[in-house]
Amino acid sequence: MVSFDDKKEVLWRTDSTASNPHACELIPCGVIAVAASNGGEVRFFDAAGDGKSYVSAKLTDSHGLLWDPTAGVLWAVGDNVLTAYEVTLDGGRITVNERTDLRTVIPSGGAHDLQPYYGDSDRMWITTVSAVYVYSKSAGQFLRDYPGSDKIMRKSVKGIGNFDDGSVVLITPDGGFRSWTGKSVDFYVLADGTYSYIKVDSADGGFYKVRVWNKNYQ
């Protein structure tokens, strides 16, 4: 975790994320959650701690995390599962409880990215090796028919996000640099109800994840 100022100050770090960490989230209570895919778990650290001790929750092939300020839960995806956790920190003690009532099976396996759907806090982006879904929390449904789905729906999207105006950005691997990276970032810009395509190439490597920075968060 680093600051955004010119000092590039390191605010927190850990070497105890297990192999292949894929996502992290800062929970308002002061806990940092890390998805450790090869570890098959989500690890929860005290942000004020030394980065060595943690509480874990098992989640096979955990890849994506997203804090939900409305529901007060941390959403997580792993393999073909979407679930959520309630997390508290009291006197340095971390307590994690899975919300099994929110746990559900994703229609396809190999879940990878989990991101906010800006403009609708009831929805989240979820990508897998087979598809790009928009998940409706209230309906408990994985939607395949959403604005721009005819352009966006594809396999193995490693990172996705949308802007306030409905435009979408995503990355798909092509194996040119690494097996999991893509040389280009794909933008689908929405204007007057129509999506236009813009590709931005990497000069000498590849992209892996993409994030839309939005002060509204969710």
Side-chain angles (χ1 to χ4, degrees):
M1 179 186 294
V2 297
S3 64
F4 285 95
D5 62 24
D6 293 337
K7 296 178 181 179
K8 303 296 188 298
E9 181 184 3
V10 177
L11 303 177
W12 182 86
R13 62 161 298 177
T14 181
D15 295 319
S16 302
T17 56
S19 179
N20 219 24
H22 262 76
C24 63
E25 279 282 80
L26 174 61
I27 301 172
C29 66
V31 170
I32 295 173
V34 179
S37 64
N38 286 2
E41 60 189 3
V42 181
R43 293 186 170 183
F44 299 87
F45 298 82
D46 184 344
D50 58 9
K52 297 180 180 179
S53 58
Y54 56 86
V55 172
S56 65
K58 292 296 182 183
L59 182 62
T60 301
D61 199 29
S62 62
H63 264 71
L65 300 172
L66 180 63
W67 171 251
D68 186 335
T70 301
V73 298
L74 177 75
W75 293 96
V77 291
D79 192 17
N80 67 336
V81 171
L82 169 67
T83 191
Y85 302 97
E86 291 179 339
V87 184
T88 60
L89 177 63
D90 185 8
R93 179 180 179 182
I94 300 171
T95 302
V96 179
N97 293 309
E98 183 179 6
R99 285 283 302 273
T100 55
D101 58 310
L102 298 176
R103 185 182 179 98
T104 186
V105 176
I106 304 171
S108 57
H112 197 277
D113 209 17
L114 174 64
Q115 285 296 295
Y117 189 101
Y118 291 117
D120 189 343
S121 59
D122 180 54
R123 296 186 168 195
M124 302 184 294
W125 292 103
I126 295 177
T127 71
T128 72
V129 296
S130 302
V132 175
Y133 303 101
V134 170
Y135 182 73
S136 169
K137 303 172 192 175
S138 60
Q141 295 181 347
F142 295 89
L143 308 176
R144 297 177 64 100
D145 183 13
Y146 47 82
S149 59
D150 58 323
K151 306 283 188 182
I152 299 163
M153 180 64 71
R154 65 192 66 179
K155 298 179 179 180
S156 300
V157 170
K158 296 299 186 181
I160 193 167
N162 74 284
F163 298 87
D164 283 333
D165 65 357
S167 299
V168 177
V169 58
L170 57 84
I171 293 173
T172 306
D174 57 23
F177 180 62
R178 295 285 189 271
S179 61
W180 57 86
T181 65
K183 182 179 180 180
S184 62
V185 179
D186 296 331
F187 290 88
Y188 293 90
V189 182
L190 181 62
D192 299 323
T194 301
Y195 286 91
S196 58
Y197 175 65
I198 298 175
K199 181 174 72 169
V200 177
D201 287 334
S202 168
D204 57 1
F207 300 107
Y208 177 52
K209 287 192 176 183
V210 60
R211 291 291 177 259
V212 174
W213 287 3
N214 188 319
K215 66 179 181 180
N216 295 322
Y217 189 73
Q218 277 267 45

